[in-house]
């Protein structure tokens, strides 16, 4: 239990504990042990949060932009100061190596710093009109926001739900994942400690479908922002549509990686193998389908297997560990089923493929090759430490395969040819494309997908504007 905090709701600035509430246990995925009990918000708690969000919105939207910027900058500073402590809890509840947990938390603070700066740049514009008349376009915060964040990046995802909303002047009720609650509570607490009004940043937990139905049924909530699976995203978008709430949906992906014969192969291998197994592959922008031009196939495949086999798997609190356990038992079951299905369809299991030990949710880094498109894993996001390495013949076939699925979040390509890079930028159906690199995220760049990977952006200027609506003033 050490280094893991007591859990509570944060409603109207008050910490509401487990007493008198339904609870669930939070599990350490490295050991299977119970870390703490998490209180669920009752229906009355949620109504109280809605009421506070309405008041909090009035107060926060009329707070001058430079004051909002100062408060959010202060919150970012607090998160940085507390990052070591937050990371200890994050690793205990989610599993990733503690260094990565700290890096994620500092990145969340950097995103908030960027958003704080944007508070001062929420400009409108004035249109050209004859003297005596005037048309002005103003941007206003949309209203109270409901944000539902998943467990794979427990601090960053919560920041993505609340940072842009607060910068825009909205109030926000966030429901972090019940599997990783301490990280989310810490982020919201830093906002309150820095001076965000009690009703403007609140944190609730419960049965996810019950919380979302309750909050989305309320006319007080004007925007929904969700990160998670496409299936749940479609369901929540329908609920939001009943009240025409605006929505941001950051959903699943199935990242294609196009490796052309003119690629810097060693750099591509070093970058993409590390990227694949980061956070046990439980990353929406994880590279998954490696499409390798024929003449490079064997070299890339063997180099990838060599790197996968060197990855040190273990408890994320231990030194030198590069990959922790999967975050939950259903994740392990899911990839075990997908690996078995891939092999049944004729795919080759080159490395890994098994659970590790019988304590916690550890799984080997796994490499499959020559997996036919009929296999489930070629169509559904594995969300685990599995790479699929397939040979391909030529750019047209690689592009066709890259765009085959209904998903379009992140894509990766490695080539030295500038003309080809331009063609890929035009043709790859994805919200983000990394060329000769592994990163698709930066605090000042929009992050989001197309097709079934969702719509709307987080991060960058777009992340704030997604929480604002235009109002046009016509003066005669
Ligand atoms: P899931 O879709 O059931 O849950 C994802 C998150 O959504 C969880 O935090 C959960 O608490 C929340 N959620 C679920 N139902 C909800 C509802 N009705 N209302 C509000 N919130 C709800 O999936 P999972 O089993 O946790 O993860 C499996 C799949 O989800 C993965 O394979 C992946 O495709 C997707 N996923 C994507 C991301 C991402 O970053 N885009 C993150 C986590 C999970």
């Amino acid at each position: 239990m050490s280094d893991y905090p007591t859990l509570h709701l944060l409603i109207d600035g008050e910490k509401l504990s487990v007493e008198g509430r339904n609870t669930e246990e939070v599990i350490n995925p490295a050991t299977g042990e119970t870390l703490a009990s998490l209180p669920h918000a009752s229906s009355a708690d949620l109504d109280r949060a809605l009421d506070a969000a309405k008041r909090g919105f009035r107060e926060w939207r009329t707070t001058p932009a430079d004051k909002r910027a100062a408060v959010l900058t202060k919150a970012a500073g607090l998160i940085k100061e507390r990052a070591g402590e937050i990371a200890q809890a994050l690793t205990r509840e989610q599993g990733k190596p503690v260094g990565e947990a700290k890096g994620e938390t500092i990145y969340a603070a950097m995103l908030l710093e960027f958003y704080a700066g944007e508070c001062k740049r929420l400009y409108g514009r004035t249109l050209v009109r004859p003297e005596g008349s005037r048309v002005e376009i103003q941007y206003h915060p949309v209203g109270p926001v409901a944000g539902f964040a998943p467990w794979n990046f427990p601090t960053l995802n919560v920041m993505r739900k609340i940072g842009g909303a607060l910068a825009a002047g909205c109030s926000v009720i966030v429901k972090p994942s019940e599997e990783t609650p301490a990280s989310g509570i810490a982020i919201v607490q830093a906002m309150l400690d820095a001076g965000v009004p009690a009703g403007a940043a609140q944190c609730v937990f419960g049965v996810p479908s019950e919380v979302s139905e309750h909050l989305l049924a309320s006319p007080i909530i004007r925007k929904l922002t969700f990160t998670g699976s496409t299936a749940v995203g479609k369901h929540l978008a329908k609920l939001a549509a009943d009240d025409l709430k605006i929505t941001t949906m950051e959903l699943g992906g199935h990242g294609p990686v196009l490796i052309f014969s003119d690629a810097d192969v060693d750099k591509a291998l070093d970058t993409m193998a590390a990227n694949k197994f980061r956070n046990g592959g439980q990353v929406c922008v994880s590279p998954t389908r490696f499409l390798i031009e024929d003449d490079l196939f064997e070299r890339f495949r063997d180099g990838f297997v060599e790197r996968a086999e060197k990855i040190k798997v273990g408890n994320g609190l231990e030194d030198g560990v590069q990959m922790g356990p999967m975050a939950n038992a259903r994740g392990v079951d899911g990839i075990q089923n997908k690996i078995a299905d891939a092999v049944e369809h004729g795919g080759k299991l080159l490395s890994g493929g098994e659970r590790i030990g019988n304590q916690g949710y550890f799984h080997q880094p796994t490499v499959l090759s020559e997996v036919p498109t009929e296999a489930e894993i070629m169509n559904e996001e594995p969300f685990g430490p599995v790479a699929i390495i397939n040979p391909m013949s030529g750019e047209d076939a690689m592009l066709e395969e890259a765009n085959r699925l209904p998903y379009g979040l992140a894509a990766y390509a490695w080539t030295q040819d500038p003309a080809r890079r331009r063609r890929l930028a035009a043709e790859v159906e994805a919200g983000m494309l990394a060329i000769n690199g592994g990163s698709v995220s930066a605090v000042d760049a929009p992050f989001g997908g197309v097709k079934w990977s969702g719509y709307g952006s987080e991060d960058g200027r777009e992340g704030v504007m997604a929480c604002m609506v235009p109002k046009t003033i016509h003066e005669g």
Side-chain angles (χ1 to χ4, degrees):
M1 287 269 198
S2 66
D3 291 319
Y4 194 80
T6 306
L7 302 170
H8 49 74
L9 312 168
L10 275 169
I11 295 183
D12 204 8
E14 211 183 315
K15 294 178 183 173
L16 301 175
S17 72
V18 292
E19 256 126 80
R21 294 188 168 77
N22 292 339
T23 59
E24 76 179 270
E25 299 197 328
V26 181
I27 305 295
N28 181 337
T31 61
E33 287 164 2
T34 297
L35 288 165
S37 288
L38 175 71
H40 281 191
S42 64
S43 205
D45 292 330
L46 293 175
D47 284 339
R48 189 176 159 205
L50 284 164
D51 197 45
K54 192 173 168 184
R55 280 182 283 108
F57 176 52
R58 252 184 259 129
E59 185 180 346
W60 186 237
R61 70 185 279 254
T62 52
T63 303
D66 57 347
K67 170 88 190 298
R68 285 209 309 264
V71 168
L72 297 184
T73 304
K74 186 172 172 193
L78 292 176
I79 293 167
K80 282 186 181 171
E81 267 170 48
R82 299 171 186 174
E85 188 188 321
I86 295 172
Q88 288 290 326
L90 195 166
T91 294
R92 281 173 171 78
E93 62 189 12
Q94 197 269 350
K96 70 180 63 176
V98 72
E100 275 180 38
K102 189 170 177 187
E104 174 192 331
T105 304
I106 289 172
Y107 187 81
M110 287 162 56
L111 177 59
L112 186 60
E113 277 168 355
F114 173 81
Y115 279 145
E118 286 300 291
C119 285
K120 301 185 205 173
R121 291 186 285 271
L122 303 175
Y123 310 127
R125 66 188 197 275
T126 307
L127 304 186
V128 178
R129 288 291 181 275
E131 206 178 315
S133 63
R134 180 184 163 91
V135 177
E136 185 186 319
I137 296 147
Q138 305 174 346
Y139 285 90
H140 292 269
V142 62
V145 172
F148 305 127
W151 42 264
N152 55 342
F153 289 89
T155 51
L156 179 58
N157 278 326
V158 168
M159 184 59 78
R160 283 183 163 150
K161 299 296 135 208
I162 71 177
L166 289 171
C170 298
S171 58
V172 57
I173 302 174
V174 67
K175 189 192 78 56
S177 166
E178 285 68 24
E179 291 171 322
T180 56
S183 307
I185 294 170
I187 296 296
V188 178
Q189 187 63 53
M191 299 291 186
L192 298 175
D193 292 347
V196 172
Q202 303 183 87
C203 183
V204 299
F205 299 97
V207 175
S209 58
E210 290 174 9
V211 175
S212 54
E213 273 167 36
H214 194 111
L215 295 182
L216 294 177
S218 166
I220 291 172
I221 297 296
R222 295 315 318 152
K223 167 164 181 163
L224 157 69
T225 168
F226 172 71
T227 299
S229 63
T230 296
V232 173
K234 286 182 179 180
H235 166 69
L236 293 178
K238 285 175 193 156
L239 289 184
D242 277 343
D243 190 36
L244 293 180
K245 300 181 201 301
I246 63 172
T247 51
T248 296
M249 290 285 160
E250 207 275 87
L251 308 176
H254 205 291
V257 187
L258 291 73
I259 310 271
F260 292 94
S261 49
D262 62 353
D264 179 339
V265 183
D266 290 331
K267 193 167 172 213
L269 277 166
D270 287 343
T271 308
M272 299 316 291
N275 204 350
K276 171 70 251 183
F277 299 111
R278 178 172 72 109
N279 202 15
Q282 302 162 114
V283 182
C284 54
V285 296
S286 189
T288 292
R289 279 171 295 149
F290 288 79
L291 315 174
I292 318 296
E293 238 185 335
D294 287 320
D295 45 354
L296 267 191
F297 174 67
E298 286 170 14
R299 182 173 161 205
F300 190 89
R301 177 197 64 193
D302 296 347
F304 203 94
V305 167
E306 193 188 318
R307 285 162 179 78
E309 288 180 347
K310 283 191 187 142
I311 288 180
K312 188 174 172 202
V313 182
N315 187 320
L317 295 173
E318 285 165 18
D319 279 349
V321 164
Q322 292 166 299
M323 192 178 105
M326 294 191 71
N328 46 53
R330 64 184 180 285
V332 180
D333 294 342
I335 59 164
Q336 281 278 291
N337 291 340
K338 285 191 175 68
I339 293 166
D341 175 80
V343 172
E344 266 168 41
H345 278 86
K348 296 182 183 160
L349 177 61
L350 302 181
S351 184
E354 302 289 335
R355 293 163 191 253
I356 305 173
N358 55 10
Q359 191 194 48
Y361 313 132
F362 292 95
H363 197 281
Q364 292 176 321
T366 297
V367 185
L368 296 165
S369 81
E370 292 142 281
V371 183
T373 46
E374 295 71 40
E376 193 183 310
I377 202 165
M378 286 294 285
N379 299 284
E380 286 176 24
E381 189 176 30
F383 226 64
V386 190
I388 306 155
I389 316 268
N390 280 357
M392 300 291 300
S393 300
E395 185 179 314
D396 288 348
M398 289 161 83
L399 261 173
E400 197 179 321
E401 169 57 24
N403 292 339
R404 177 178 58 87
L405 293 181
Y407 299 102
L409 193 56
Y412 303 83
W414 290 77
T415 174
Q416 304 290 349
D417 178 349
R420 176 182 277 148
R421 286 187 222 161
R422 292 297 99 208
R423 286 197 296 278
L424 294 174
E427 297 300 330
V428 172
E429 295 170 5
M432 296 159 291
L433 171 65
I435 301 179
N436 296 339
S439 172
V440 289
S441 171
V443 295
D444 53 355
F447 184 94
V450 297
K451 305 198 286 186
W452 280 12
S453 295
Y455 46 76
S457 299
E458 301 181 303
D459 306 2
R461 177 173 169 71
E462 287 81 354
V464 186
M465 295 314 289
C467 299
M468 305 203 83
V469 284
K471 182 190 278 180
T472 312
I473 315 297
H474 296 263
E475 279 183 59

